[in-house]
Amino acid sequence: MATRIGSFDTTQMENLYTPSKIHSQHQQPGSISKVRVIIRVRPFLPHEISSTNAYPISCISLLNSESETFGDEVTVHLQDPETSRNECYKLDAFFGQEDKNVSEIFQREVSPLIPGIFEGYNATVFAYGATGSGKTYTMQGSDELPGLMSLSMSNILSACERTGSTVAISYYEVYLDRCYDLLELKEQEIVVWEDKDGHVHLKGLAQVEVNSMSSFHEIFSCALQRRKVARTGLNDVSSRSHGVLVITISTPSRDSVGNMITGKLNLIDLAGNEDNRRTCNDGIRLQESSKINLSLFALSNVIYALNNGMSRIPYRESKLTRILQDSLGGTSHALMVACLNPGEYQESVHTVSLAARSRHISNSVSSAQKNTTPMVKVDMEAKLRAWLESKGKTKSAQRIAGLRSPFTGRTPVSVNSVTKLSANLHSSEAKFVSSQRISNLKQRVPCVDSGNLFNNGDYVDPSMQAQDLAAAETMKDKSDAPTEGGALESDEPVNNEEMKIINSLNSIQLSPVSKRFTGLCSPQRKVLSPINSNVDTTYLVPSDPKTPKPHFTPLKVENKFQGDCTPLDKFNSQSSNLKSSLAQEYIEFLNAASREELLQLKGIGQKMASYIIEQREISPLKSLNDLEKIGLTSKQVHNMFGRAARGVFE
Ligand SMILES: Nc1ncnc2c1ncn2[C@@H]1O[C@H](COP(=O)(O)OP(=O)(O)OP(=O)(O)O)[C@@H](O)[C@H]1O
């Protein structure tokens, strides 16, 4: 791995920007694009030459070199000089060790991808190979010879001058199967998540705008210092992580609305697989190595599954495969640069055989021009206000504005900030849950007496709890401050639809944990508890006085159905309360349960369980509607919940 990127003048690149006719297959909208796989053999290094008596012989050669015309496939021949074992593989192009720099690879293979990025397509270029095979040299380059990252950046900046586009970069590494931002130091790892369209996102990853090569060098060199490298038995400066540079180009579209077209180029310097009998790694180096090897094994499993038309592609086995998801069997153009050390037969066979299999993978490339809105948190408060206002219910809308978070005195807060707080509470809860999960899983009683559902003993109607809390909140507001538009007035009856939304707002404001703080525990919780009660709730009451607690006392209000109402009214009301309470319990369960527990619930299969786990890592589910955000139709949500609810009575 080279330690610094080369300094490279943008003007040198002008004549490289040649939208190529050669790879026209790369640029067809909505078309199938095979992963293109090229071989790059590095030269022997001085110490490799000096360690043998005669000049070492490369184990790699090109068979049909004379007949090679660009665009045709090539046949690569590998021969073990010691045993004479040999193998042949067909690939897309070959760059031999006499090529001292990577500019030819850039010109012929990478630059044709770039015009597509300006049109909203994504592309990924990744260097794959064993440790010491020249991946970092190829991607990152050196002072003297810029790598594909600098060359791409330079080319893109030149093109931006013509198109009026803007460029931003992100740079991160996957170290020990965790993602870390290299542009902005953060305490936490970057969370990888997938939206309902299957697009992978990295939450909170910094993006820095770049407008010249000098600013790129400044930013990138600084970030490179943070990337984990170390000396191993096989490479003096070996990458201990997979490094990913993302160049995002935003181009004004030609439509009248002024939309932007966004395309991304991912340039990935993978860590190399390592034979630890030869690296003599131990301690942390060994740990890094085993994670690197595991992630590359996961990569080979994904490639195997794609090649064999398997229904389940194991992208989730590692962070690396999740990041590459869109490039292998997804919607991105992809170029794999398989790097080889000419003196290593066995590892070259390993690299080339995987490379050869990768080129059968088809991506269905599509432009991101269509408005791809990333999953945004729904501001329920604003939604409700808008809905009420559209119905002419201004006072109710004002009332909603008056419903404030229990965590924040009088200052109105957005639902998002409350959600954040609740997410934090959830994450501490989740940590606890996972530590308790394994031991408690074994003790769990799998079924419950449905009679418990109607146990009137110490029944506290959960929907009434919500109303209690809203009332308590209002009382507090009233006592705290004069009514100022946002305060609750009670001259307009709240209808069922409004109440449902108010309840859902309350369910957002009160996370499961915060409810536990208040000591409220419904019988429904008990009913479902054999499934999710792997946590002794007493443990969850924080002893730390600094832990935020809601500063209100739940009030008991009179049940409005206790007056003149028919038994049918009562039954209907209780049923609807029961339904909303069960839905809330169900959501809480989805947020806290382990995969095994999720699978025990009717209507949840492997795929759904994975979706739910992914989603709640980003933001805990707050209502059944949130399930629609992960790609379920409302009918599916209805059926899933319906099955679970029926399961309670079976
Ligand atoms: N074309 C080349 N010309 C001269 N030296 C090269 C060339 N390609 C690679 N090297 C040298 O080979 C050595 C190993 O290269 P590099 O660090 O890029 O390997 P790597 O595949 O990234 O290894 P790792 O996976 O361990 O990080 C470095 O010293 C590098 O400078």
Side-chain angles (χ1 to χ4, degrees), residues 263-317:
K264 284 185 181 171
L265 176 63
N266 301 297
L267 297 152
I268 308 181
D269 174 18
L270 293 178
N273 49 305
E274 299 179 335
D275 178 347
N276 283 308
R277 287 165 303 186
R278 295 179 59 211
T279 54
C280 306
N281 281 336
D282 57 12
I284 183 70
R285 293 288 92 80
L286 189 63
Q287 259 187 55
E288 290 165 351
S289 184
S290 72
K291 285 286 183 196
I292 293 170
N293 289 350
L294 268 177
S295 63
L296 295 170
F297 180 65
L299 177 63
S300 70
N301 286 341
V302 163
I303 291 169
Y304 178 87
L306 286 165
N307 275 339
N308 289 281
M310 286 163 71
S311 57
R312 185 183 163 270
I313 312 298
Y315 292 115
R316 284 163 199 271
E317 270 178 24

Side-chain angles (χ1 to χ4, degrees), residues 542-557:
S543 53
D544 179 0
K546 278 177 274 169
T547 313
K549 288 183 190 180
H551 49 264
F552 59 87
T553 322
L555 293 181
K556 194 99 182 85
V557 292

Side-chain angles (χ1 to χ4, degrees), residues 485-500:
L488 188 65
E489 292 167 25
S490 54
D491 60 346
E492 198 172 317
V494 179
N495 69 25
N496 274 348
E497 216 161 350
E498 290 170 20
M499 200 58 231
K500 259 191 221 161

Side-chain angles (χ1 to χ4, degrees), residues 275-496:
D275 178 347
N276 283 308
R277 287 165 303 186
R278 295 179 59 211
T279 54
C280 306
N281 281 336
D282 57 12
I284 183 70
R285 293 288 92 80
L286 189 63
Q287 259 187 55
E288 290 165 351
S289 184
S290 72
K291 285 286 183 196
I292 293 170
N293 289 350
L294 268 177
S295 63
L296 295 170
F297 180 65
L299 177 63
S300 70
N301 286 341
V302 163
I303 291 169
Y304 178 87
L306 286 165
N307 275 339
N308 289 281
M310 286 163 71
S311 57
R312 185 183 163 270
I313 312 298
Y315 292 115
R316 284 163 199 271
E317 270 178 24
S318 81
K319 285 271 159 50
L320 174 65
T321 43
R322 296 198 63 199
I323 287 160
L324 285 173
Q325 186 164 336
D326 201 38
S327 313
L328 299 170
T331 59
S332 237
H333 292 291
L335 172 71
M336 178 195 240
V337 185
C339 295
L340 303 178
N341 172 345
E344 293 291 344
Y345 170 77
Q346 200 48 57
E347 63 187 32
S348 296
V349 168
H350 184 263
T351 301
V352 178
S353 70
L354 186 107
R357 278 180 279 140
S358 302
R359 70 191 278 269
H360 298 298
I361 296 172
S362 297
N363 292 341
S364 172
V365 294
S366 61
S367 162
Q369 279 194 42
K370 48 182 174 9
N371 268 342
T372 44
T373 10
M375 203 165 67
V376 274
K377 281 182 190 139
V378 182
D379 185 340
M380 288 290 289
E381 197 179 318
K383 250 182 142 183
L384 173 59
R385 265 202 309 277
W387 178 78
L388 287 169
E389 272 160 15
S390 75
K391 300 223 162 201
K393 294 179 188 282
T394 328
K395 278 190 181 165
S396 297
Q398 286 171 349
R399 243 201 320 252
I400 298 310
L403 289 176
R404 293 168 195 162
S405 157
F407 300 107
T408 56
R410 284 158 41 197
T411 322
V413 287
S414 78
V415 174
N416 277 353
S417 55
V418 177
T419 312
K420 258 190 198 159
L421 176 54
S422 117
N424 289 340
L425 291 168
H426 270 284
S427 75
S428 55
E429 178 187 38
K431 268 184 208 141
F432 179 78
V433 170
S434 54
S435 67
Q436 290 285 307
R437 203 167 268 155
I438 301 166
S439 59
N440 288 333
L441 197 65
K442 294 175 192 146
Q443 299 164 12
R444 205 157 306 122
V445 187
C447 73
V448 192
D449 183 351
S450 61
N452 288 352
L453 268 175
F454 301 100
N455 178 354
N456 280 328
D458 55 350
Y459 183 83
V460 180
D461 181 333
S463 76
M464 287 298 120
Q465 284 173 11
Q467 292 173 40
D468 291 352
L469 296 170
E473 186 62 6
T474 311
M475 296 273 289
K476 186 180 180 308
D477 277 348
K478 278 186 171 166
S479 61
D480 275 356
T483 29
E484 265 177 347
L488 188 65
E489 292 167 25
S490 54
D491 60 346
E492 198 172 317
V494 179
N495 69 25
N496 274 348

Side-chain angles (χ1 to χ4, degrees), residues 1-2 40 42-43 45 99-101 129-138 235 237-240 269-272 274:
M1 150 150 187
R40 178 177 188 268
R42 74 154 166 81
L45 302 178
D99 300 314
K100 292 247 165 55
N101 60 55
T131 182
S133 58
K135 299 177 297 296
T136 305
Y137 187 96
T138 307
N235 190 356
V237 195
S238 176
S239 310
R240 313 314 294 154
D269 174 18
L270 293 178
E274 299 179 335

Side-chain angles (χ1 to χ4, degrees), residues 147-162:
L148 296 180
M149 289 175 174
S150 297
L151 293 170
S152 302
M153 194 67 216
S154 178
N155 180 296
I156 286 167
L157 283 171
S158 306
C160 281
E161 285 168 20
R162 293 192 288 274

